Amino acid sequence: MVHLQLYNGEQEAAVSLIQSFWRCHSFVEQTEAEALQDLQAWTAGKHSFSFILSEGERVGFLHLGSRGGPADWLETLFVLPAWQNRGIGTAAVRLAEEIVQSYSDFLHIEAVARNEGAIRLYRRLGYDCLNSIIIRKDFRDNGFKCARTETLYGLPFEIRKKD
């Protein structure tokens, strides 16, 4: 059974999970101070930060954000690698949907194009409306190489992954 536990001052646990998130998704070793800054931003205003609990353990987190209106953006979903592929992410998204459905007509999700697993999960859960596009220009070699090219509006775009 998966549950969400709203953050209530459990700073050490939250900071550790945030550092794990950045390490796993962007290959960044974030300092404790940097993770604390993220936590403060992700719990301020109309944002909410919840731990994902499975078998009584904190196995990840879910950050709902606001970009002006009520929190209707699933900004960050993270499940520790040892707990992935057990349906925990699916259950956490469903719980987030229940929360957001009570006050909004939709839930937006932003995913990094190279995170194919997350995109497939969201698509499987019914997220099929392409709402916005974020593109990036690299100014220096950052170790990401083209994994494949996708075409949108007849234009080629690279999806880059770390070697």
Side-chain angles (χ1 to χ4, degrees), residues 38-118:
D38 284 342
L39 177 62
Q40 290 168 343
W42 296 352
T43 56
K46 296 179 181 177
H47 293 257
S48 71
F49 182 96
S50 297
F51 294 106
I52 300 170
L53 303 177
S54 181
E55 299 176 25
E57 290 188 50
R58 291 182 180 128
V59 300
F61 68 87
L62 185 139
H63 163 218
L64 290 175
S66 168
R67 298 189 183 180
D72 61 358
W73 284 82
L74 176 53
E75 298 284 0
T76 316
L77 170 68
F78 176 66
V79 176
L80 289 165
W83 290 86
Q84 292 176 3
N85 300 311
R86 298 184 191 189
I88 294 169
T90 296
V93 171
R94 296 272 190 233
L95 291 168
E97 290 174 346
E98 288 177 22
I99 292 167
V100 174
Q101 277 184 40
S102 70
Y103 56 79
S104 181
D105 291 336
F106 27 73
L107 177 62
H108 299 88
I109 298 178
E110 186 174 286
V112 177
R114 70 178 174 274
N115 194 346
E116 187 174 343

Side-chain angles (χ1 to χ4, degrees), residues 151-162:
T151 303
L152 189 61
Y153 297 115
L155 303 169
F157 291 90
E158 291 184 356
I159 295 179
R160 299 179 186 152
K161 293 185 177 185
K162 224 17 159 180

